[in-house]
Amino acid sequence: MDLKHINGILCDLDGVLYNDGVLIEGVVDTIKALKQKGYPFLFVTNTSGITSHELFHKLEKMGIPLQEDEVLSPPLATRDYLVKHNFKNAQVLASSSIKEMIYEKIEQNIENPEAIVVGDIGKNWDYELMNELFLKVMNGSKVIGLHHGRFWKASEGLRIDIGAFIKGLEFATSTTSVCIGKPDKSFYESAIQKIGLNASELLMIGDDIIGDIQGAKEAQLTAIQVKTGKYRKELTEKAIVQPDIIVDDFNILNTLLEEL
Ligand SMILES: [Mg+2]
């Protein structure tokens, strides 16, 4: 497949540019080279524990050449979603920095919120909280998840993730929630709008067959899967949606986009 139609790059972070916080060799030079060729970048990630602003500083510290407006993660995309869909108020369950960022544009309402935004609150889940949220949803509040993760891998082992609590609320109330992160279409729509190009001109590069590849293809983007990070041959082979190209790692992008 040729990539003549590509004018911009959406790039996942974890597993593409770094593993366990350690940069993959060559990625800094590759990003610089691609930017010099005139390709705009948007770094798109499901990282939800910190704001996009905090994430930008973390990436900058790692040495990744980027500007703050080149990062899109679920907390910011959630605020965009609330604004776009005319939510006037919300209750946000997330870190204090994420709450602050969302409440800048959306009024806080704990009593009777139009939306309940569910982010990462660690061990603060219990019966009382679930029941409180259950009652609010029964009363009309809409649940909006920063993502629908089933579980995640902490240093001490696997831990249940917010998707399980969100699905529990859906089950108890017979409602459906909104999911903001990849692979959701609204996340890709925010990304397309933010980078300011058409879907057909964009390339998504990622390691996750569902979040990155399926999500990008469903949003009509060209999708490249890297064999680094969480890539597993068997998962890709049995996936319904296939990447346009599978490459060894991110650095090959420089060669692929040079052959034009
Ligand atoms: Mg990844």
Side-chain angles (χ1 to χ4, degrees):
M1 174 185 208
D2 82 61
L3 297 172
K4 284 192 183 73
H5 58 290
I6 297 302
N7 291 319
I9 300 165
L10 302 187
C11 183
D12 175 44
L13 294 168
D14 205 351
V16 176
L17 300 184
Y18 50 81
N19 285 312
D20 294 329
V22 179
L23 281 179
I24 294 170
E25 208 184 321
V27 301
V28 169
D29 290 337
T30 302
I31 295 168
K32 281 183 185 160
L34 289 166
K35 282 188 168 181
Q36 246 160 29
K37 286 178 189 169
Y39 291 100
F41 265 84
L42 184 65
F43 298 94
V44 289
T45 173
N46 268 1
T47 299
S48 299
I50 54 179
T51 64
S52 303
H53 177 71
E54 291 164 327
L55 178 63
F56 160 69
H57 282 296
K58 186 185 145 191
L59 298 171
E60 196 186 34
K61 239 183 184 170
M62 287 174 77
I64 296 172
L66 83 170
Q67 307 290 319
E68 182 159 355
D69 63 0
E70 291 173 328
V71 179
L72 183 67
S73 61
L76 194 57
T78 299
R79 190 175 77 177
D80 289 350
Y81 180 91
L82 290 167
V83 171
K84 191 177 160 193
H85 293 267
N86 295 314
F87 283 93
K88 297 281 172 285
N89 60 68
Q91 176 180 6
V92 180
L93 304 169
S95 70
S96 53
S97 56
I98 290 173
K99 282 184 190 173
E100 208 174 287
M101 186 270 295
I102 293 177
Y103 291 146
E104 257 173 37
K105 295 249 174 105
I106 303 291
E107 192 193 327
Q108 176 174 347
N109 183 339
I110 307 297
E111 290 307 309
N112 183 24
E114 287 182 11
I116 297 170
V117 174
V118 180
D120 300 308
I121 54 168
K123 293 175 182 170
N124 291 328
W125 290 102
D126 61 17
Y127 180 84
E128 286 307 322
L129 177 60
M130 279 299 273
N131 201 53
E132 178 198 318
L133 299 180
F134 162 75
L135 292 172
K136 286 174 184 170
V137 177
M138 290 300 271
N139 202 27
S141 301
K142 182 87 185 164
V143 175
I144 297 173
L146 262 64
H147 60 83
H148 277 180
R150 292 175 169 85
F151 61 87
W152 59 287
K153 195 165 174 275
S155 52
E156 65 270 37
L158 298 183
R159 302 196 75 99
I160 193 165
D161 209 342
I162 61 171
F165 300 103
I166 292 171
K167 291 294 169 189
L169 286 169
E170 287 185 352
F171 179 71
T173 57
S174 302
T175 60
T176 50
S177 65
V178 171
C179 173
I180 297 294
K182 296 181 287 183
D184 197 80
K185 208 167 173 216
S186 70
F187 187 83
Y188 280 95
E189 282 167 358
S190 290
I192 291 164
Q193 195 178 12
K194 199 164 161 65
I195 201 166
L197 292 167
N198 296 316
S200 58
E201 302 172 87
L202 288 169
L203 167 74
M204 169 70 196
I205 183 160
D207 62 326
D208 187 319
I209 185 68
I210 304 291
D212 299 326
I213 306 305
Q214 187 181 318
K217 292 301 293 178
E218 283 172 356
Q220 313 297 321
L221 274 65
T222 299
I224 295 187
Q225 190 177 22
V226 290
K227 287 186 179 174
T228 50
K230 60 167 86 153
Y231 169 82
R232 298 289 176 273
K233 190 168 181 270
E234 60 279 11
L235 290 181
T236 295
E237 279 171 357
K238 71 176 183 193
I240 307 158
V241 177
Q242 291 292 308
D244 293 294
I245 312 174
I246 300 175
V247 299
D248 283 339
D249 68 34
F250 174 79
N251 293 312
I252 290 170
L253 215 51
N254 197 16
T255 316
L256 283 178
L257 290 169
E258 209 161 40
E259 289 165 350
L260 307 185

